[in-house]
Amino acid sequence: MASERAGTPLLSGLTAVALVVVVALPFAFIVLQAIFPEIGAGSFARPFSHLGAVLKSEDFGIETRNTLLLGTGVVLASSVIAVPLAGLRALYRLPGALLWDVVFLVPFMIPPYIATLGWILTLQPAGYLQQLTGVNLAEFLFSFPGIVFVMAMHSFPVVYFAASRSFATIGARFSDVSRVFGAGPGRAFWRITLPLATPALAASLLLVFAMSIEEYGTPAVLGARFGFDVLVTGIDGSLSDWPIDLPKAALLSLALIVLSLLAFALQRRIATARDFDVVGGKSPRAPARSLGVWQAPVLALFGLVAFVSTGLPLLAILATALSRTISGGLAPNNIGLLHFEAILSDTTGAMQAMANSFSLGLIAALVAGVFGIAVAYVTTRGPGRGRRVIDALAMLPNAAPGVVVALGLILLWNQPSLPITPYNTMWILVLAYVCILLPQPVRYTVAAFQQINPSLEAAARISGAGPMRTALRIWVPLIAPSVLAAMLLVFTVAARELVASLLVAPVGTDTIGTYIWRQFDQGSVGDGMAMAFLAIIATTLIPLALLGGLRRFERKA
């Protein structure tokens, strides 16, 4: 036990140091750059001299307003789509309910920038919709409602799954009481069920808002057509357009972090303002009602949403990947495997980009998994007040989009006084992915540790087991499923990440995200969509196959 007491502070110290390097320092340099515009040259002169010019600039106000409008619009649109579907899924006997859940999960598995490219190919002038029906919706697509629609098609599953699970937990018992007193089904849902689901709805809508204000690909592609700039594209412009303006990028990043923190504070206030207890000693669940004559219209509604959110983007991506030329349209003689052959033969560097992404994703998943275990152990088993500091540092990336993390890494590792730096190497991408995705393995592993009764560890120590044997025989088997699930999530997201890869990838190095983006930008749309289709298949099937193998192993064990 003495060795364990000695080892825990050491682990806490090493974890704190690692978190400072990976998480705290990049964020600190964003703040320093915002305050001291000349810190890149090693000078602390003229503090706050850049602040007034940025705050008074017209584009700052426009970008901030557009960011708020976009986040709010996507939240509202996602709610309108997801809440009715979730209510029908949870409170009624919906045929094929599990199948619909799987189908609605697919849009969330497609990277938003890839889905956006699919929507462009479908709705642009002479796009697939116009070729098939004669309808031209390009004016709608390249507008604020169009951006909101495209982003809501990606984010509504977040609200759908949270709301449906919450509605199912609440059940129909409470609304049935109101029905006895004369309330109709709609009023009972609006006045009883929906308010009781407020915590889950607030959490999911906060996530949708955060996803929307940090999304780069959709505003960059669609917004550029009609001058709709947001904070994320403003940060990118400050870093990529000459003259490069690092202080402005840092100030815009801080504004984005403030918006995320305000949204989080609002969600906490909503969730704690009232008592939402619905689970007691008696189960609130009641048998789901029959849809009756509404079964066919409800199934048609689910099918329509599934086709629009999942089918159309995937079909557009596949059709483009199979088209020899974009101008040839959907003619049979224009269909072939030319672009897939180009990808697989690696004539354009596609296979190297895929190998880069998979290897970087695997390394990031391993590092984040080990990191997550250390943070989770320290915050649940470690002594002292330092646990809260470590937990706060591990959660800090939740408040910052990928573009902010990338900026922090650029500012930190480009300091001229550093004797060695990972910048312009593949390791800068690993650092970016780990920093952005660290909260996922931490939360998963913390939850797993909280489910382990401390008496198991005490029993192991009484039986003579040391810290290492206790860890290998008790902790590792019990937390392994949660850690592996988190690592698969990190791998999947890291392998397809775009914005940080665009900003910090070494010169001449492509990942899946940057390859697709550059092929589309250079006019090689077919190659880009072929790569996108293969990436979607690989990054969806690989985790599903590994999870299936893990479940079979658990059943045998």
Side-chain angles (χ1 to χ4, degrees):
M1 288 194 293
S3 61
E4 185 174 6
R5 285 194 298 267
T8 302
L10 177 61
L11 179 61
S12 299
L14 292 175
T15 303
V17 170
L19 281 172
V20 167
V21 173
V22 176
V23 177
L25 284 178
F27 283 88
F29 268 84
I30 292 176
V31 176
L32 289 173
Q33 182 69 76
I35 297 174
F36 304 103
E38 299 178 14
I39 194 173
S43 172
F44 290 93
R46 301 190 306 120
F48 298 106
S49 60
H50 219 71
L51 182 60
V54 172
L55 293 179
K56 292 178 182 178
S57 64
E58 183 180 0
D59 55 349
F60 174 77
I62 293 174
E63 289 165 3
T64 304
R65 182 200 65 192
N66 288 346
T67 300
L68 287 170
L69 287 174
L70 182 62
T72 304
V74 176
V75 164
L76 293 175
S78 299
S79 302
V80 169
I81 297 168
V83 171
L85 295 176
L88 293 168
R89 164 68 175 87
L91 303 176
Y92 293 88
R93 291 195 295 272
L94 178 69
L98 293 177
L99 176 62
W100 293 118
D101 286 350
V102 173
V103 172
F104 287 156
L105 185 63
V106 174
F108 198 67
M109 298 296 292
I110 303 175
Y113 65 93
I114 293 179
T116 299
L117 299 180
W119 280 108
I120 291 174
L121 294 165
T122 302
L123 301 183
Q124 68 182 350
Y128 297 131
L129 181 65
Q130 188 171 3
Q131 293 178 41
L132 294 173
T133 67
V135 177
N136 184 351
L137 294 180
E139 186 175 350
F140 165 75
L141 177 65
F142 300 110
S143 67
F144 176 72
I147 293 181
V148 170
F149 169 78
V150 169
M151 295 179 69
M153 285 295 101
H154 171 74
S155 59
F156 86 89
V158 176
V159 183
Y160 168 80
F161 284 107
S164 62
R165 299 306 179 264
S166 181
F167 292 156
T169 301
I170 295 167
R173 182 164 63 91
F174 298 99
S175 60
D176 284 345
V177 175
S178 67
R179 299 287 297 277
V180 171
F181 289 93
R187 188 178 183 188
F189 177 79
W190 184 259
R191 299 294 297 273
I192 305 295
T193 306
L194 192 61
L196 288 173
T198 297
L201 286 172
S204 61
L205 293 176
L206 165 69
L207 182 57
V208 169
F209 181 83
M211 290 167 51
S212 302
I213 66 173
E214 72 180 45
E215 167 59 19
Y216 170 77
T218 305
V221 174
L222 298 181
R225 303 288 186 97
F226 63 100
F228 186 81
D229 292 320
V230 293
L231 287 172
V232 174
T233 55
I235 295 169
D236 178 66
S238 299
L239 294 175
S240 56
D241 296 340
W242 187 261
I244 293 174
D245 195 341
L246 290 177
K248 180 180 179 180
L251 287 167
L252 295 180
S253 298
L254 290 180
L256 205 53
I257 293 174
V258 168
L259 290 180
S260 297
L261 293 176
L262 289 175
F264 178 75
L266 177 62
Q267 180 261 328
R268 289 293 300 272
R269 183 178 179 83
I270 292 172
T272 58
R274 297 172 58 188
D275 184 3
F276 298 99
D277 290 345
V278 296
V279 179
K282 183 178 180 181
S283 174
R285 296 299 301 274
R289 301 188 184 96
S290 172
L291 288 167
V293 297
W294 291 98
Q295 178 170 303
V298 167
L299 288 176
L301 174 64
F302 273 73
L304 176 64
V305 174
F307 177 71
V308 173
S309 63
T310 304
L312 279 179
L314 284 177
L315 288 174
I317 292 169
L318 182 59
T320 308
L322 292 174
S323 298
R324 297 179 185 275
T325 62
I326 298 297
S327 59
L330 295 174
N333 60 358
N334 193 42
I335 302 300
L337 299 175
L338 179 67
H339 299 298
F340 285 104
E341 292 172 357
I343 296 297
L344 296 176
S345 63
D346 203 25
T347 56
T348 58
M351 295 306 293
Q352 183 60 52
M354 191 173 292
N356 290 339
S357 284
F358 287 166
S359 59
L360 289 168
L362 179 60
I363 295 171
L366 292 172
V367 173
V370 174
F371 218 157
I373 293 173
V375 172
Y377 178 79
V378 170
T379 55
T380 58
R381 297 293 192 269
R385 299 178 182 177
R387 295 185 300 175
R388 294 183 180 180
V389 176
I390 289 175
D391 187 52
L393 285 176
M395 291 298 104
L396 184 58
N398 267 341
V403 66
V404 175
V405 173
L407 173 61
L409 292 172
I410 292 171
L411 295 174
L412 169 61
W413 296 110
N414 264 323
Q415 294 301 308
S417 59
L418 290 175
I420 188 171
T421 175
Y423 195 76
N424 207 30
T425 71
M426 300 291 275
W427 290 107
I428 194 69
L429 285 169
V430 174
L431 284 174
Y433 298 157
V434 171
C435 184
I436 293 169
L437 299 169
L438 181 60
Q440 278 70 37
V442 169
R443 290 298 92 185
Y444 275 67
T445 313
V446 165
F449 267 114
Q450 289 173 338
Q451 292 177 324
I452 301 176
N453 195 310
S455 63
L456 295 176
E457 303 166 46
R461 290 197 297 268
I462 291 172
S463 300
M468 184 59 68
R469 190 175 183 187
T470 301
L472 293 176
R473 299 296 296 273
I474 295 179
W475 299 334
V476 171
L478 290 175
I479 68 173
S482 297
V483 174
L484 289 175
M487 290 171 63
L488 285 174
L489 177 63
V490 172
F491 170 80
T492 301
V493 177
R496 306 184 306 200
E497 202 278 336
L498 173 64
V499 62
S501 301
L502 282 173
L503 291 176
V504 302
V507 177
T509 300
D510 262 332
T511 63
I512 289 174
T514 60
Y515 177 89
I516 296 170
W517 188 263
R518 285 171 182 153
Q519 292 300 312
F520 198 89
D521 193 47
Q522 295 168 5
S524 302
V525 180
D527 288 351
M529 291 297 97
M531 180 67 151
F533 189 79
L534 293 176
I536 292 170
I537 297 299
T539 54
T540 301
L541 293 183
I542 291 175
L544 289 177
L546 291 175
L547 284 174
L550 177 61
R551 290 194 185 98
R552 287 192 296 271
F553 174 78
E554 290 175 343
R555 284 197 296 267
K556 290 180 181 179

